Each structure stands twice: as C-alpha cells, then as structure tokens.
C-alpha cells in the first residue's frame, strides 16, 4: 500500500516507519463496551440506566441512576464537570453509561460516568503520541493482513498479532501473553530491525577482484593454523573473488590467532597493496614485527606519529596507527582495521575513502577481540559479513578463582613463586586516585606496599602519557605491573602468568575476560584472581567456570540485557523489547532465512 502524506505524518508522530512497527505498539488495556447482566466490581463496565435524580454541588454533580441490566441503583459522581456535561444528564432519560463501579456497605458508585451511544465492542487503549480514538481508527483502518503481508511477515505471525489489536470476546476472557504471541512479537521486532540493518548496507564495485591462494604460505609457517582460522581465511578468499567490495568483521577470542588471518589476507592480496590501522603504537609495532617474521617477501612499513615522512607508494603492506589518516596514502585494494571498536565509524570510513578510487572501493576487513553473542553475530550479518574464531591455537591452562581479604597471604605466596620462576604479575585496580565512594584501594594508595616489598614494580594508567613506554619497559625488566584496565587491549606480555583484579565485581564480564586473556599467551601455567569484598557473587563464580569468550558474552547477556546494535537508529541505546539474544537463536535463523540474508 502506498504511504500517503497523511499516513506518513502519523508514522512520524508515532516514531515509526512501517506497518510492522505499528503492530508492535500494543494496547495496554481494553474498554469492554459489552452490556453485562451482572455487576463487576472495580471494573469498567456499561450500564443501561435511567437518570432518577441530579444533585449539583459547587465542584461536582451527583446523579442517581437505576441500572436496568442488573437491577441496582448506582450513584454517578462527576468531579469539576465541564459546562457541556450538564446537558448530558436529564431526569427520566434512559441511556448507556460507561465507567468504573465500586461498592461499599451495599452502596455502589460510578466515578466519572461517560455517556456512550454504541455498545457491544471491545476497544483497545493505547499509550501513544496519538489520541486514543485517532489511534484506534488508524490501526483498524490500516493495520491489515494485506499491509503486513506486503512487508514480508508470515501469515501465522500476522494472525497472532492482529488478535491483540482486534480482540474478540474469547480473547478478552483470557488476556495473557501466550507463547505464540510472544514468538510473533519477537519475530516482528527482529524482522523490522534486520530489514533496517540490511537497508543500511551499501554495495560498491571492488577495486580489485582476484583468485588468490594462501595454502603454500600456510605450509611454510612454523605452526599449523586452526580449523577456524582456516575457515575465516577461506571466507575472505571467497570475498576477494567477488566483483563487490567485501565488508567483513572477524571476531576472535583473546589469543585466537587473528594476526595470522590478517597476514593471510595480505598474502592473498599481494602484489596489490594492503593497509592496516591499529589503535595503539604497541599493537601496530607488534603486527609490523609479525609481518616481517611471517611475510618476509612482502615489503612492509610501520607508520606512527613519530615516523618520518616517506613515500608510502613503494611499500606493499602499510601498518600504522590513526597517524595514517594524516598521510598521503597510495591506492590499496585491501583496508583492515584491528580492534575496530576502538575507532569511531568516522575514522574507519575516512581510512576507506582515503584509499578508494572513484566509484570503486577496496575490500574492507575489521577485526575485534571482543567476542559477541553468537545470536548477535547472526543479526549483524544483515549489515556486514561476520566470521567467528571461537577456538585458540593451543589450550590455555589458567586457574581462575574468586578471592577475599583472608586469602591475601596465599596470594602473596603465589606472586612470590611466579616472580622466582622469572614470570610476571599484573595487578589491576579500579581507580588511579583515592575515592570516598569506592571501598577498594586506588593505585596511588596501593603502590607503596608493592614498591616497598617487591623489586621492579611498574605503574601506569589511562591518563599516563608514557603508558606505552612503561609497558615496553615492564615487558623487558618488570616483575609487577600495577595498572587500571588500560592493559585490556595492547601489548603482548609473554612472561605474564598472573593477573589480580581488585574490585572484580565492578568490571564487566567481557573486560574480566580480556584481562584474563593477557595471561599465559605462550602456554605457561596461568592464574587469574578476582578480588572482591562481596561475600557471594554468582556472576563471578560463573565467570570462573566459563573459559570461552563467546560463552562469556552469553553469560554477560544473562546478567545484563543486551543493548541496541543499531547505532544511529531511532531506538539507539535502547534495549530490544521482546528479543532475548541469549535465547532466541532459532527466531534469528528463521528471520534471516525469510529475509534471504
């Protein structure tokens, strides 16, 4: 059906764009205008009544009705009546009136009786930007099977949701959220959402499409790639063959080997140029070192704020921080962003445009070490292709434990033993400076104890301008690093075996998992201690038992309902009202299939 200007005005008022979204604005209750022959106390109902007497007081009117439908006298009370109301009540007249009836000590009264002309219907009541009568007319006229079918909703789903907007007698007798109705609402919400995501996806011609190979290079590596690394690489290989510029996000758990997927992508794109932007100098440097080690035949360069200006067109693989955005970049057929959530959309788009050539676009890969719930990944595929790497190249052996004040002596023994073995320890504190609000020590309060009792203690935090240098110095010479969550993403610390998180209950589960992932990167035995003043924390106890980042993401959902994925949409920052990402994978699959995404 064509959306007229009048319909669009109402859509705008309601903050919606489709009939499907209108279907999701549910009535919060119903006016039952059917004539009953029994009195229903504390419910709104219709009376067939004759006005017997009228008493006018300064701020109210009292009307005595005789209700023929159940043979009682009822007193109607109008508070602060408007002048037009006076003429509605004439002694001796018989009409229908609607209102809520209450009875006390055998005396029944109806507050604010409303005269009505038609009876027998069930009228939905909506909380919306339109007046209720206008909303009822709008839904009854336009919220039709035909309009909803046109938007691609299945007949079964439509029939279920229309029952709510057009209630029958039997529906009202049992107004409750049935499993069928809940499923229909979830389906519609997701259908609307994924259609908008798909609409945001734009397709461009690829600046280069090519048949490429990686297996010979993979065999030359001193280790074997995991099945999921190979699956992600082959997804990218298929993308590179297409005429359409690919947009793919590779989501991998901490230590899952995303770096090798980055290098495989560069190998497959060679001799064409590739560019990679990383969020920190440390990460960029580490990736540059890996490229030199595993792609010696590819001419690579590192670009940071301190790099002298060189002719970048002479290199095949350009790795850098956001400093890349301020350099003259050569045309590249592959653009990659590592830890993509650390850059704004504007920065990612800038990089893509810098190396785009007219109407064509480079292939674009984003990498993230923050695992997302599998269901969310499935939803994201409406907007971008997604590859998940859920396994790690080797099994990490990390003991996780929730500890309290009385466990401190044992913790000290563990720390001393690890340092004796030449291993390193990370202590994460919630704040840099003292706070009256938080019951845990800050870095500044705690550092004195550690510096007095241990050698080679290093301290850094988010506002520390020298933090990257501190991390490098610690990697080479340190025993203990005291920090805030600044170390969550960044430097590889091969000797780090122990992490202690102070006030662990204050951190999100994904942050705890990222910090735990810093430990035991080279296969050493690792320890993760969650220090809390809380007597019991089910959330932390479950975290201790959960190892996979993707399971952690689902656990996080259990304790904190998911936020909105669709930034920039009218619902931004809100939660799904009906969909539960931790439970509704089957519905997501169904919607994807129906939308052919």
């Amino acid at each position: 059906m064509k959306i007229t200007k009048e319909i669009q005005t109402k859509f705008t008022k309601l903050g919606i764009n489709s009939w499907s979204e209108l279907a999701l604005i549910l009535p919060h209750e119903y006016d039952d205008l059917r004539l009953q022959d029994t009195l229903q106390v504390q419910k709104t109902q219709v009376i067939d009544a004759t006005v017997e007497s009228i008493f006018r007081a300064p701020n109210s009117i009292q009307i005595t009705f005789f209700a023929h439908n159940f043979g009682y006298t009822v007193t109607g009370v109008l508070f602060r009546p408007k002048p037009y109301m006076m003429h509605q009540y004439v002694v001796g007249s018989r009409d229908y009136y609607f209102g809520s009836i209450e009875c006390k000590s055998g005396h029944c009264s109806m507050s604010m009786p409303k005269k009505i002309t038609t009876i027998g219907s069930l009228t939905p009541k909506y909380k919306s930007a339109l007046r209720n009568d206008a909303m009822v007319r709008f839904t009854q006229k336009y919220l039709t099977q035909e309009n909803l079918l046109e938007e691609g909703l299945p007949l079964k789903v439509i029939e279920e949701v229309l029952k709510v907007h057009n209630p029958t007698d039997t529906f009202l007798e049992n107004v409750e959220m049935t499993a069928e109705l809940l499923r229909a609402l979830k389906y519609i919400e997701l259908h609307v959402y994924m259609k908008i995501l798909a609409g945001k996806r734009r397709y461009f011609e690829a600046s280069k499409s090519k048949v490429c190979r990686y297996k010979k290079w993979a065999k030359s590596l001193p280790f074997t790639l995991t099945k999921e690394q190979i699956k992600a690489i082959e997804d990218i290989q298929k993308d590179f063959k297409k005429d359409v510029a690919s947009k793919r996000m590779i989501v991998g758990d901490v230590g899952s080997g995303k770096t090798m997927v980055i290098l495989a992508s560069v190998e497959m794109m060679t001799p064409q140029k590739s560019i990679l932007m990383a969020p920190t100098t440390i990460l960029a440097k580490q990736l540059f070192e890996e490229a030199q080690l595993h792609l010696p035949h590819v001419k690579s360069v590192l670009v940071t704020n301190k790099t002298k200006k060189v002719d970048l067109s002479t290199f095949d693989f350009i790795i850098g921080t956001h400093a890349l955005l301020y350099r003259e970049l050569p045309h590249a057929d592959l653009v990659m962003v590592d830890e993509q959530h650390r850059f704004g959309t504007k920065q990612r788009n800038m990089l893509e445009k810098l190396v785009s050539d007219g109407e064509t676009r480079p292939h674009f890969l984003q990498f993230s070490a923050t695992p997302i719930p599998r269901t969310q990944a499935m939803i994201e595929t409406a907007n971008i292709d997604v590859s998940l790497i859920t396994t790690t190249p080797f099994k990490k052996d990390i003991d996780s434990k929730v500890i309290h004040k009385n466990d401190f002596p044992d913790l000290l023994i563990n720390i001393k033993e690890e340092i004796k073995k030449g291993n390193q320890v990370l202590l994460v504190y919630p704040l840099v400076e003292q706070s009256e609000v938080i019951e845990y020590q800050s870095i500044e309060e705690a550092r004195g104890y550690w510096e007095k009792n241990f050698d080679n203690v290093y301290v850094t935090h988010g506002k520390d301008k020298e933090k990257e240098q501190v991390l490098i110095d610690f990697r080479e010479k340190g025993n203990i690093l005291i920090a805030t969550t600044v170390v969550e993403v960044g430097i590889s610390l091969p000797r780090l075996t122990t992490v202690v998180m102070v006030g662990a209950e204050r951190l999100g589960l994904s942050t705890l998992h990222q910090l735990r992932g810093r430990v035991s990167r080279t296969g050493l035995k690792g320890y993760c201690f969650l220090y809390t003043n809380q007597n019991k924390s089910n959330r932390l106890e479950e975290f201790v038992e959960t190892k996979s980042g993707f399971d952690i993401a689902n656990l996080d959902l259990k304790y904190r309902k998911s936020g909105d994925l669709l930034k920039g949409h009218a619902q931004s920052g809100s939660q799904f009202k009906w969909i539960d990402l931790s439970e509704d994978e089957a519905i997501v699959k169904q919607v994807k299939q129906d939308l052919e995404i």
Side-chain angles (χ1 to χ4, degrees):
M1 178 184 178
K2 188 173 180 290
I3 305 294
T4 62
K5 201 173 176 185
E6 181 199 346
I7 290 170
Q8 190 54 58
T9 304
K10 286 197 167 61
F11 273 7
T12 305
K13 260 192 172 179
L14 293 166
I16 61 173
N17 293 294
S18 64
W19 302 120
S20 299
E21 287 172 274
L22 181 64
L24 289 172
I25 302 174
L26 303 184
H28 64 96
E29 60 178 328
Y30 300 89
D31 281 343
D32 185 355
L33 300 182
R34 297 170 301 170
L35 194 62
Q36 311 284 355
D37 55 8
T38 54
L39 178 63
Q40 294 173 317
V41 179
Q42 289 186 322
K43 281 193 174 177
T44 50
Q45 73 179 111
V46 176
I47 56 171
D48 168 11
T50 299
V51 176
E52 292 187 328
S53 66
I54 299 170
F55 173 74
R56 288 180 170 83
N59 282 321
S60 65
I61 301 176
Q62 276 193 12
I63 304 140
T64 307
F65 295 109
F66 180 75
H68 297 278
N69 48 324
F70 38 74
Y72 289 131
T73 297
V74 176
T75 304
V77 183
L78 289 168
F79 301 100
R80 294 194 182 87
K82 301 276 189 296
Y84 75 87
M85 292 178 178
M86 308 288 194
H87 310 296
Q88 288 187 349
Y89 306 94
V90 179
V91 174
S93 65
R94 182 171 173 175
D95 290 289
Y96 296 112
Y97 299 93
F98 180 70
S100 178
I101 296 179
E102 279 195 25
C103 296
K104 280 180 188 170
S105 311
H107 178 75
C108 297
S109 64
M110 180 184 273
S111 177
M112 301 299 285
K114 185 179 170 190
K115 188 175 174 181
I116 56 173
T117 50
T118 54
I119 62 164
S121 65
L122 293 169
T123 307
K125 288 178 85 172
Y126 296 91
K127 284 178 180 170
S128 79
L130 296 181
R131 244 186 29 240
N132 196 63
D133 55 344
M135 183 68 173
V136 170
R137 283 197 301 274
F138 189 55
T139 52
Q140 288 181 351
K141 185 174 180 182
Y142 295 113
L143 197 59
T144 61
Q145 197 178 95
E146 186 188 1
N147 280 346
L148 293 171
L149 277 170
E150 229 173 82
E151 290 188 355
L153 294 181
L155 187 58
K156 224 174 160 181
V157 167
I158 295 169
E159 286 172 348
E160 205 56 53
V161 79
L162 287 183
K163 286 179 195 172
V164 184
H165 294 279
N166 305 294
T168 59
D169 293 2
T170 49
F171 176 86
L172 209 72
E173 280 160 23
N174 191 23
V175 180
E176 61 173 39
M177 185 62 73
T178 62
E180 292 79 12
L181 175 58
L182 182 59
R183 193 187 181 286
L185 294 170
K186 287 180 174 193
Y187 185 99
I188 297 169
E189 182 174 49
L190 203 54
H191 193 272
V192 166
Y193 195 81
M194 289 180 80
K195 253 176 113 173
I196 294 169
L197 273 180
K200 288 166 83 83
R201 185 166 188 167
R202 296 180 66 199
Y203 295 91
F204 295 97
E205 187 188 335
S207 58
K208 185 76 184 175
S209 55
K210 59 183 289 192
V211 175
C212 44
R213 293 174 178 82
Y214 73 93
K215 285 185 178 171
K216 190 179 170 188
W217 168 79
K219 277 179 186 166
S220 73
L221 296 171
F223 45 78
T224 307
L225 297 174
T226 66
K227 279 182 186 172
E228 289 193 345
Q229 280 176 313
I230 291 168
K231 169 78 172 69
I233 292 165
E234 289 184 347
D235 286 344
I236 295 163
Q237 187 181 35
K238 283 176 201 157
D239 289 343
F240 287 176
K241 283 181 193 172
K242 293 174 187 168
D243 295 334
V244 175
S246 58
K247 269 201 161 181
R248 181 173 293 279
M249 179 163 68
I250 293 89
V251 184
D253 208 344
V254 179
S256 62
K258 292 184 302 301
T259 301
M260 299 322 294
V261 178
I262 290 171
L263 299 183
S265 304
V266 175
E267 170 66 22
M268 291 190 289
M269 190 47 73
T270 304
Q272 276 73 36
K273 295 185 190 305
S274 301
I275 292 178
L276 171 77
M277 184 164 75
T280 65
T281 304
I282 289 176
L283 263 177
K285 197 173 176 201
Q286 279 176 196
L287 286 158
F288 174 63
E289 286 164 2
E290 294 279 352
Q292 286 185 309
L293 185 62
H294 299 299
L295 291 173
H297 52 288
V298 174
K299 199 175 175 193
S300 303
V301 63
L302 175 66
V303 178
T304 68
N305 287 331
K306 292 176 182 170
T307 310
K308 287 178 184 167
K309 296 220 166 165
V310 289
D311 181 5
L312 296 176
S313 65
T314 61
F315 295 93
D316 301 316
F317 185 22
I318 301 162
I319 302 161
T321 59
H322 62 276
L324 288 171
L325 301 174
Y326 309 98
R327 297 290 175 104
E328 195 173 317
L329 296 172
H331 169 80
D333 293 303
L334 171 61
V335 170
M336 295 176 285
V337 175
D338 193 21
E339 297 298 346
Q340 56 89 22
H341 61 281
R342 301 276 296 274
F343 295 104
T345 311
K346 199 173 172 188
Q347 286 176 307
R348 298 200 296 267
N349 291 346
M350 258 174 88
L351 182 65
E352 204 181 342
K353 279 180 186 152
L354 277 175
V355 292
S356 299
D357 201 2
E359 289 300 300
T360 64
R361 288 281 191 278
H363 294 286
F364 190 58
L365 299 178
Q366 304 174 46
F367 293 83
S368 174
T370 306
I372 57 178
R374 199 176 298 274
T375 321
Q376 182 178 331
M378 288 167 68
I379 294 170
E380 289 277 16
T381 55
N383 185 36
I384 188 168
D385 297 309
V386 180
S387 297
L388 300 181
I389 308 177
T390 63
T391 54
T392 52
F394 56 84
K395 201 170 178 351
K396 282 192 172 188
D397 182 10
I398 303 174
D399 288 349
S400 300
K401 190 181 177 187
V402 178
I403 60 170
H404 303 86
K405 207 168 193 172
N406 56 348
D407 297 307
F408 191 68
D410 292 337
L411 175 67
L412 278 181
I413 291 167
N414 183 287
I415 288 173
K416 284 171 182 171
E417 281 176 1
E418 287 304 301
I419 290 171
K420 205 184 282 181
K421 290 177 195 168
N423 297 331
Q424 295 175 313
V425 176
L426 166 63
L427 305 173
V428 179
Y429 282 87
L431 290 173
V432 179
E433 291 167 354
Q434 188 177 354
S435 159
E436 288 176 17
V437 183
I438 293 175
E439 55 184 310
Y440 296 101
Q441 283 189 315
S442 65
I443 285 179
E444 291 306 323
E445 290 171 285
R447 67 185 293 176
Y449 171 83
W450 298 104
E451 286 171 336
K452 183 182 167 188
N453 292 286
F454 291 87
D455 297 327
N456 304 322
V457 175
Y458 287 77
V459 179
T460 190
H461 50 81
K463 289 178 183 167
D464 180 6
K465 287 180 182 168
E466 300 301 315
K467 66 175 177 277
E468 294 195 355
Q469 192 55 49
V470 172
L471 290 173
I472 290 165
D473 292 344
F474 168 71
R475 180 172 65 182
E476 306 311 321
K477 301 176 284 195
N479 290 337
I480 292 178
L481 175 66
I482 300 174
T484 53
T485 54
V486 65
V487 290
E488 179 192 328
V489 172
I491 192 165
S492 171
L493 300 166
R495 293 190 292 128
L496 185 68
T497 58
T498 303
V499 60
V500 182
M501 294 173 238
V502 178
E505 81 282 354
R506 301 184 72 254
L507 296 173
L509 294 184
S510 58
T511 301
L512 292 176
H513 182 66
Q514 291 282 335
L515 288 163
R516 179 169 62 181
R518 299 285 108 214
V519 168
S520 187
R521 293 297 283 265
T522 48
L524 293 167
K525 170 77 181 164
Y527 302 91
C528 169
F529 296 104
L530 308 175
Y531 182 87
T532 177
N533 289 336
Q534 289 183 341
N535 293 332
K536 181 114 180 89
S537 170
N538 291 337
R539 183 172 155 273
L540 294 182
E541 293 294 348
E542 283 197 61
F543 171 83
V544 162
E545 298 302 319
T546 312
K547 304 293 182 242
S548 152
F550 291 89
D551 292 338
I552 294 281
N554 280 323
L555 190 60
D556 214 3
L557 276 177
K558 182 176 152 185
Y559 287 102
R560 166 192 64 81
K561 288 295 178 194
S562 59
D564 202 299
L565 312 174
L566 235 191
K567 299 302 172 207
H569 179 43
Q571 292 178 320
S572 180
S574 70
Q575 294 176 347
F576 278 124
K577 187 170 180 183
W578 304 109
I579 283 289
D580 182 340
L581 290 186
S582 57
E583 295 183 346
D584 293 327
E585 191 171 324
I587 295 174
V588 178
K589 277 182 182 164
Q590 190 60 57
V591 174
K592 272 186 76 171
Q593 198 178 314
D594 295 350
L595 284 172
E596 296 177 356
I597 289 170

